[in-house]
Amino acid sequence: MEKLGPGSDADTLQVLAMIPRDGFSLVVDAGSGIGRQTLALASRLQTTVHAVDTAAKHLDSLGRYSAQLGIEHLVQTHCMDMADIPAIFRDVDLLWSECAAYHIGFPNALASWLHAIRPGGYAVISELSWLRDEVPEHVHTYFRRGYPDMRTVDENLSIAHAAGYEVIATHILSRAAWIDGYYDKLEPLARSLLDHPEQAVRTFAAQTLEGIHVFDSAADNYGYVFYVLRKPVGETTAVA
């Protein structure tokens, strides 16, 4: 799998262009995974992007991909918990996180990472969000099991304001970014594992296919939303 989650370079760069600033001295990608967006950011910004992830194998893959693209000098990997970012990084100009903040909780991530960002710096964080008030029951049932903490866009905007951010913009991840290179590769792989001798593998494959079916039938009731945020200039940077 070249992608470990929904996303596309086109969406990443479209959101990057929403930030009213051209250059960044310190960029951190929280929960980088194998780094599709890390590479897109590094290539466009031509500045070092610090990729943070707890999986060493993902960071090793990112290192290989960056070398293949000839931009290994623009990617620095850190095998660590994204919750520890404020203890390691100071005065971050741009903190980026796609499909990862939920690992430590969206409200907790926003509150924690604010301390690592310099006044006037930016955070771009994508979070799975409800997009409509009326949601089919089978979709609600699926996410009550899989992600019961999922909130509406307005609720997440309120969380961002309460954490101390200014909201610059939002962007809904395109439907194609879920399918191309992700679900279109994941679905046949999951189907091939339905008869695997290990029960745990069969269960995981069935759950994966259920998630794809829910997405196909959900009529855009949910999606990943990028929240483009700014730390006010009047805020000071401190360790939580």
Side-chain angles (χ1 to χ4, degrees), residues 155-227:
E155 287 172 332
N156 285 331
L157 291 175
S158 295
I159 288 171
H161 282 299
Y165 294 91
E166 298 171 350
V167 177
I168 303 300
T170 60
H171 170 76
I172 299 173
L173 184 68
S174 64
R175 185 174 181 83
W178 288 78
I179 299 170
D180 298 342
Y182 185 54
Y183 276 167
D184 64 353
K185 299 290 180 64
L186 190 58
E187 182 173 14
L189 179 60
R191 290 194 184 282
S192 72
L193 295 173
L194 288 175
D195 295 324
H196 194 278
E198 293 185 25
Q199 176 62 49
V201 175
R202 296 197 302 273
T203 299
F204 184 73
Q207 290 173 342
T208 298
L209 291 171
E210 181 187 9
I212 295 172
H213 171 72
V214 167
F215 175 79
D216 287 340
S217 64
D220 299 324
N221 286 281
Y222 69 93
Y224 268 103
V225 177
F226 287 84
Y227 297 89

Side-chain angles (χ1 to χ4, degrees), residues 33-51:
I34 59 177
R36 177 203 54 76
Q37 69 287 340
T38 313
L39 300 173
L41 293 171
S43 296
R44 176 58 58 90
L45 296 173
Q46 287 297 298
T47 192
T48 300
V49 177
H50 296 266

Side-chain angles (χ1 to χ4, degrees), residues 82-237:
M82 68 176 76
D84 295 331
I85 284 175
I88 304 300
F89 296 96
R90 300 285 193 280
D91 295 331
V92 175
D93 291 298
L94 175 60
L95 191 147
W96 198 277
S97 183
E98 292 194 30
C99 309
Y102 75 93
H103 284 295
I104 60 173
F106 182 72
N108 179 56
L110 264 61
S112 173
W113 293 341
L114 182 72
H115 298 287
I117 300 170
R118 71 165 62 249
Y122 292 86
V124 174
I125 303 169
S126 74
E127 169 72 352
L128 201 59
S129 309
W130 293 116
L131 302 179
R132 296 184 181 182
D133 294 331
E134 301 278 336
V135 178
E137 183 56 33
H138 76 282
V139 178
H140 255 311
T141 299
Y142 175 79
F143 281 104
R144 275 197 292 268
R145 299 195 314 266
Y147 191 26
D149 292 333
M150 188 156 70
R151 304 170 181 84
T152 66
V153 174
D154 285 343
E155 287 172 332
N156 285 331
L157 291 175
S158 295
I159 288 171
H161 282 299
Y165 294 91
E166 298 171 350
V167 177
I168 303 300
T170 60
H171 170 76
I172 299 173
L173 184 68
S174 64
R175 185 174 181 83
W178 288 78
I179 299 170
D180 298 342
Y182 185 54
Y183 276 167
D184 64 353
K185 299 290 180 64
L186 190 58
E187 182 173 14
L189 179 60
R191 290 194 184 282
S192 72
L193 295 173
L194 288 175
D195 295 324
H196 194 278
E198 293 185 25
Q199 176 62 49
V201 175
R202 296 197 302 273
T203 299
F204 184 73
Q207 290 173 342
T208 298
L209 291 171
E210 181 187 9
I212 295 172
H213 171 72
V214 167
F215 175 79
D216 287 340
S217 64
D220 299 324
N221 286 281
Y222 69 93
Y224 268 103
V225 177
F226 287 84
Y227 297 89
V228 183
L229 312 172
R230 180 177 179 269
K231 181 174 181 176
V233 175
E235 296 289 332
T236 58
T237 302

Side-chain angles (χ1 to χ4, degrees), residues 35-77:
R36 177 203 54 76
Q37 69 287 340
T38 313
L39 300 173
L41 293 171
S43 296
R44 176 58 58 90
L45 296 173
Q46 287 297 298
T47 192
T48 300
V49 177
H50 296 266
V52 171
D53 202 275
T54 55
K57 64 179 182 180
H58 291 164
L59 296 175
D60 289 343
S61 295
L62 173 54
R64 290 195 300 273
Y65 295 147
S66 65
Q68 290 169 7
L69 293 173
I71 59 169
E72 64 270 26
H73 60 293
L74 296 177
V75 175
Q76 186 169 336
T77 60

